[in-house]
Amino acid sequence: MESQNIRDKKEKVVEEKVHLIVFKLGLEEYGVRIDQVKEVTITPEITRMPKTPSFIKGVSNIRGDIIAIMDLEERFRIERPSGLPHQHTYTLVMEAREYTMGFIVHEVPQSLTLPVSSIDKAPSFIQDININENFIEGIGKHEDRLIIVLDIFKILTSDEVMQLKS
Amino acid sequence: MKSRDQEYKEIFIAEALEYYDALNRHISDLEKNPEDEQLLAEIFRLLHNLKANAKAIGYESIGDVSHKLETAFGLIRSRELSFSDEVVTVLFDGVDLLGEMITNIDSPKEVEPSPELLRNLDIIINSLSENSSELTKVQKYYTTKNLSLSDLIYIQIKKLDHLLNLVGELIIDRDRIFSLSKELDNEDLKNVSAHLYRITEELQYSVMDARLVNVGSLFNKFPRIVRDIAVVEKKEINLEIVGQDIQIDRNILQIITDSLLHLMRNAISHGIEKEDVRKKNKKSPQGNVTLSAQNDRDTVILKLIDDGKGIDQQEVRKAIVNRGFLTADAAADLRDTEVLSYLFEPGFSLAKEVTEVSGRGVGLDVVKNAIDSIGGRIKVDSKKGEGTTFTLFLPTSIAVKGALLCQVEENFYAIPLMHTDSVVAFPTQELHEVGDLLVADINGETITIISMRELFNTDLNDYSVKKSDLNGDAQNIIIVTYNNRKLGLIVDKLLRQQDIVIKALSKPVNTIEIYAGVTLLGSGKVCLVLDVAAITRYFIARR
């Protein structure tokens, strides 16, 4: 009986799902947990803010809140494949504990549910790519797709962002 | 608008009624617990305050009754009078009488204290023995007790802050609707939005008005403070206070409280000379200090004037060099007003000796930071031997500020009017190149001119502008002033003057120094508010 119970529990753990918002940066797919995303919107007019790093695109008025907008591709120095049309860009409005910030993505973000078990902890060789390992929560696999799961909270609190002082 | 006196009177009555309620409560408790020292102390305090307030505003009879009751409770406290039944009755009667008198202030049936009751009170105060037989029964002609609630309420400033923030948001949306209605050109919408405009405006002023307090609420604390400082410094100070009636936002007053205290300490301990020195210089033996307030449109101007020894320009110039701010040559070339502005630099102090009340390393820079933080400015004038005047220009209200809108490249920027001096269209040919900077002679003053385009687009260390970099025959220059220093800002276009509601920038972009905040224009466009103080500091640091 007891061993049966334990097996049941194990099965439940296996079934735990994580809900992601998935978007493309460069050629790869990236995801963030949906509970960190406040909303997804077509990028509103951005007011450029001189004296900020180039990956800060400026500030936007989103429903009366004025928030900073960051370009993740520029932030991570991900090269965009040239020639892709982008009439609109989209902004993911993300909430950290103390503040809200927008992230620009170039294609419509999608929602995707993955079993937790299909996300591997970030392997160490990822240090070789430009995204600091710290920001990567893991690599998720879904059918034949590979999704890099980002820890947005770490991006928002990284020293680099917090100390924007010019 | 009600007169100030009327307002004071209403506040007095409301407070007095509150005291009365508290007295009733405490005295009933005391009857059950005659030994309770705390209750006694509290009753004593309430009566004491009531007496003082009543006398201050001229209600002598209320003051007298309070005084008698206060004395009686004083005796009970010192155990010279026992809290016996007879005494309790008299005291209750006395408190009831107070209540009647307060409720009926200024009404036709004004209550005179009954002579019997006053006599009873005198008896219990004066006869310290058990001699209660003389107490006469007091006719209770005021038995009908009306329950009534006070006309005044206390409110936490936090709640008013919240209300003001909401109004700020509302104004932003109102402006948006207002400009939309013009674009859409719909008559009904225009009418409604015009009405909305008026109502929000009135709402805004009402909320701002509710937050106003008299400058006197701060100024009136100074006679005592000045006395204490003067005693320690062994000086005699004659303090004159002018303009207590001027009104200002409560939070602004709160923020400058420490600054004003600091300036006052400085004035007395460093400014005013010792008596023998004053006599030698043919001045009155007492030092004169004036604290004044006046209104100038949306600005409240506070002045702290002393007739002390003044600030020695040469000494300041020397200190500028000694502390490594400038070379001796550069210091010698400074204009007098600029020399004094160094007093506000961090770590700049002229104090040679540390005294008990001032000169403990907190400099004028702290004062200036406080004033900067509310968008005000501070100025110092001084004449050696004659005295020093500090002038504080403060916004009346925090929420709404007049600002000048301008355009640089595709962006709109706002510069608070508090910091703008004038606007000129200046011929490009008449600008001069000095090193990497441009300077111009405007109305006889040599002013450093900054190209905002260049400032925005290059790293400060690489900032360099030649005349050839500028487009056009004339430049739109906004002359800004901060800490007695002037700076000319070249902008692409001057737009208009407008009242704006400044919102703080949110993290992480709140650390960019040159922005004081952000505002939304009627068009919905985001407009950055420039921090003149930070931009000025940029170029001073560079020098």
Side-chain angles (χ1 to χ4, degrees):
Chain A
M1 268 306 267
E2 262 196 339
S3 61
Q4 181 69 40
N5 267 344
I6 289 166
R7 209 176 301 146
D8 279 350
K9 264 184 202 158
K10 264 189 184 159
E11 265 161 25
K12 260 180 202 150
V13 171
V14 167
E15 272 163 19
E16 202 183 308
K17 298 265 172 111
V18 53
H19 196 163
L20 299 176
I21 295 290
V22 176
F23 49 90
K24 241 180 174 173
L25 296 179
L27 294 168
E28 298 297 337
E29 285 191 290
Y30 291 79
V32 289
R33 288 168 183 275
I34 199 163
D35 50 330
Q36 294 175 323
V37 180
K38 199 175 165 197
E39 68 175 290
V40 179
T41 166
I42 290 182
T43 305
E45 186 186 356
I46 299 175
T47 301
R48 194 173 73 90
M49 204 173 175
K51 297 277 147 205
T52 51
S54 66
F55 60 80
I56 298 286
K57 296 280 97 180
V59 285
S60 277
N61 170 14
I62 294 187
R63 282 173 238 303
D65 289 331
I66 292 156
I67 64 170
I69 307 287
M70 188 199 270
D71 187 324
L72 281 175
E73 286 180 355
E74 269 189 59
R75 171 69 183 75
F76 297 139
R77 289 177 222 101
I78 296 168
E79 214 163 294
R80 278 191 54 68
S82 54
L84 279 185
H86 51 277
Q87 244 183 332
H88 294 300
T89 63
Y90 297 84
T91 293
L92 299 175
V93 182
M94 306 277 206
E95 254 180 334
R97 254 163 258 172
E98 291 168 65
Y99 59 98
T100 307
M101 196 164 172
F103 294 89
I104 293 183
V105 298
H106 292 270
E107 279 169 50
V108 194
Q110 296 163 339
S111 112
L112 188 68
T113 308
L114 289 181
V116 169
S117 63
S118 71
I119 297 177
D120 290 337
K121 276 252 163 243
S124 58
F125 66 82
I126 283 187
Q127 281 170 339
D128 294 343
I129 65 170
N130 281 320
I131 301 174
N132 190 311
E133 181 190 14
N134 277 335
F135 302 147
I136 298 180
E137 200 179 307
I139 306 284
K141 281 174 223 117
H142 179 69
E143 290 155 13
D144 56 348
R145 292 157 75 187
L146 187 135
I147 291 147
I148 304 163
V149 182
L150 296 172
D151 183 342
I152 272 315
F153 182 64
K154 284 212 176 113
I155 297 176
L156 288 177
T157 50
S158 72
D159 294 345
E160 197 179 341
V161 177
M162 295 306 289
Q163 290 162 11
L164 280 178
K165 271 192 183 170
S166 37
Chain B
M1 194 94 178
K2 268 176 294 190
S3 77
R4 194 70 57 221
D5 279 352
Q6 186 62 31
E7 206 168 301
Y8 284 146
K9 209 179 257 180
E10 282 174 13
I11 293 172
F12 166 75
I13 295 174
E15 272 185 1
L17 283 173
E18 228 166 78
Y19 286 169
Y20 168 63
D21 285 343
L23 279 173
N24 267 328
R25 214 165 51 235
H26 293 324
I27 202 171
S28 313
D29 288 347
L30 193 67
E31 203 177 10
K32 290 172 210 138
N33 272 322
E35 301 293 303
D36 193 327
E37 294 278 335
Q38 262 188 337
L39 273 178
L40 267 172
E42 180 62 15
I43 293 172
F44 190 75
R45 188 187 69 83
L46 288 168
L47 284 166
H48 183 81
N49 287 352
L50 186 57
K51 175 183 76 177
N53 291 350
K55 293 219 158 149
I57 209 148
Y59 293 122
E60 292 294 335
S61 54
I62 295 179
D64 286 342
V65 177
S66 315
H67 175 70
K68 289 197 160 77
L69 284 166
E70 182 193 347
T71 316
F73 277 101
L75 292 171
I76 294 174
R77 240 175 127 191
S78 57
R79 299 187 191 283
E80 289 171 59
L81 183 67
S82 66
F83 201 61
S84 62
D85 287 351
E86 292 89 351
V87 172
V88 170
T89 318
V90 175
L91 292 176
F92 265 106
D93 285 348
V95 171
D96 280 346
L97 172 67
L98 266 184
E100 283 300 301
M101 290 166 77
I102 295 163
T103 343
N104 291 316
I105 280 176
D106 285 345
S107 78
K109 45 177 180 140
E110 202 160 305
V111 176
E112 282 296 318
S114 91
E116 292 94 347
L117 178 57
L118 288 183
R119 207 174 67 88
N120 284 350
L121 276 171
D122 283 336
I123 290 168
I124 60 166
I125 293 166
N126 294 325
S127 65
L128 302 177
S129 59
E130 310 292 286
N131 195 2
S132 55
S133 53
E134 292 171 47
L135 293 175
T136 35
K137 190 97 181 94
V138 177
Q139 183 84 53
K140 279 213 173 187
Y141 52 91
Y142 37 80
T143 41
T144 48
K145 279 198 181 170
N146 291 325
L147 288 177
S148 66
L149 294 176
S150 167
D151 283 341
L152 280 184
I153 59 164
Y154 286 108
I155 183 161
Q156 284 169 308
I157 192 75
K158 213 170 60 187
K159 290 186 181 171
L160 282 179
D161 285 347
H162 182 61
L163 200 55
L164 192 63
N165 285 339
L166 288 177
V167 170
E169 307 264 325
L170 186 63
I171 287 173
I172 288 168
D173 284 346
R174 171 201 72 183
D175 290 349
R176 179 101 183 91
I177 288 175
F178 197 69
S179 60
L180 276 178
S181 75
K182 276 187 190 157
E183 278 169 35
L184 295 174
D185 202 25
N186 174 311
E187 276 312 307
D188 282 348
L189 187 57
K190 272 195 207 158
N191 285 339
V192 174
S193 75
H195 189 227
L196 178 68
Y197 196 95
R198 280 199 307 279
I199 291 179
T200 39
E201 196 160 66
E202 208 164 301
L203 179 65
Q204 177 200 334
Y205 285 113
S206 305
V207 175
M208 275 160 53
D209 187 59
R211 299 166 52 90
L212 295 180
V213 295
N214 284 335
V215 171
S217 56
L218 176 59
F219 277 13
N220 291 339
K221 296 185 195 296
F222 274 90
R224 177 63 204 272
I225 291 164
V226 166
R227 182 213 155 262
D228 289 355
I229 303 171
V231 167
V232 174
E233 295 284 330
K234 299 195 183 63
K235 290 171 183 170
E236 226 178 289
I237 304 293
N238 176 24
L239 173 69
E240 195 186 343
I241 293 179
V242 183
Q244 294 104 307
D245 284 357
I246 301 295
Q247 296 204 307
I248 189 166
D249 185 278
R250 183 261 176 206
N251 283 7
I252 291 178
L253 201 59
Q254 171 77 51
I255 289 165
I256 61 142
T257 299
D258 288 345
S259 302
L260 213 52
L261 193 59
H262 185 82
L263 293 175
M264 184 59 89
R265 285 192 187 124
N266 268 349
I268 298 173
S269 64
H270 301 314
I272 302 289
E273 312 90 331
K274 293 244 161 31
E275 205 177 305
D276 49 331
V277 181
R278 288 184 68 89
K279 276 182 186 156
K280 217 185 294 167
N281 293 336
K282 300 197 175 67
K283 288 183 178 177
S284 63
Q286 314 101 324
N288 292 296
V289 179
T290 305
L291 196 52
S292 78
Q294 67 190 89
N295 258 332
D296 180 23
R297 277 181 295 165
D298 284 346
T299 308
V300 173
I301 302 171
L302 300 189
K303 280 192 179 147
L304 181 66
I305 307 164
D306 71 60
D307 70 343
K309 63 172 185 263
I311 297 167
D312 187 340
Q313 291 264 351
Q314 287 315 316
E315 230 178 282
V316 180
R317 279 179 212 265
K318 251 186 258 165
I320 293 172
V321 179
N322 287 343
R323 287 177 176 74
F325 285 103
L326 288 179
T327 61
D329 289 349
D333 286 346
L334 284 179
R335 255 177 296 128
D336 289 357
T337 49
E338 273 196 280
V339 169
L340 291 180
S341 69
Y342 276 88
L343 294 172
F344 299 107
E345 292 293 331
F348 196 98
S349 169
L350 285 178
K352 292 199 188 82
E353 51 187 317
V354 173
T355 69
E356 189 181 328
V357 283
S358 57
R360 262 177 294 195
V362 187
L364 286 173
D365 58 316
V366 178
V367 171
K368 195 163 66 64
N369 287 344
I371 292 164
D372 284 350
S373 75
I374 47 172
R377 81 196 150 83
I378 183 167
K379 196 178 100 182
V380 54
D381 298 294
S382 187
K383 229 176 188 173
K384 197 186 169 190
E386 289 179 23
T388 305
T389 300
F390 282 93
T391 312
L392 279 60
F393 300 86
L394 306 171
T396 313
S397 183
I398 292 181
V400 180
K401 286 197 178 98
L404 193 62
L405 300 191
C406 61
Q407 190 173 358
V408 179
E409 296 178 314
E410 79 283 10
N411 274 6
F412 288 178
Y413 296 92
I415 301 174
L417 287 182
M418 183 67 92
H419 292 293
T420 57
D421 176 276
S422 53
V423 170
V424 288
F426 198 78
T428 313
Q429 276 316 308
E430 289 178 30
L431 289 167
H432 300 279
E433 295 170 0
V434 179
D436 290 332
L437 297 174
L438 294 172
V439 296
D441 185 336
I442 296 174
N443 298 332
E445 271 187 272
T446 311
I447 295 172
T448 305
I449 307 292
I450 306 297
S451 158
M452 292 312 280
R453 245 175 207 269
E454 192 65 14
L455 173 67
F456 287 153
N457 291 315
T458 50
D459 189 84
L460 184 66
N461 297 321
D462 301 331
Y463 178 90
S464 163
V465 176
K466 302 287 172 209
K467 271 200 271 189
S468 55
D469 297 330
L470 302 172
N471 303 323
D473 298 336
Q475 302 300 323
N476 290 313
I477 299 177
I478 301 174
I479 297 170
V480 295
T481 150
Y482 170 72
N483 193 11
N484 292 344
R485 292 174 169 112
K486 283 183 182 168
L487 207 58
L489 308 178
I490 298 180
V491 299
D492 292 352
K493 214 167 160 187
L494 290 163
L495 297 166
R496 60 183 178 273
Q497 194 176 314
Q498 186 178 320
D499 282 344
I500 58 167
V501 182
I502 300 180
K503 299 177 110 177
L505 277 163
S506 60
K507 278 184 173 182
V509 284
N510 57 343
T511 53
I512 316 290
E513 277 185 330
I514 60 167
Y515 305 115
V518 66
T519 189
L520 284 171
L521 300 180
S523 59
K525 206 169 161 58
V526 177
C527 172
L528 292 161
V529 182
L530 294 177
D531 186 338
V532 171
I535 293 174
T536 311
R537 277 199 300 270
Y538 246 58
F539 283 92
I540 289 166
R542 200 182 133 94
R543 197 161 55 178

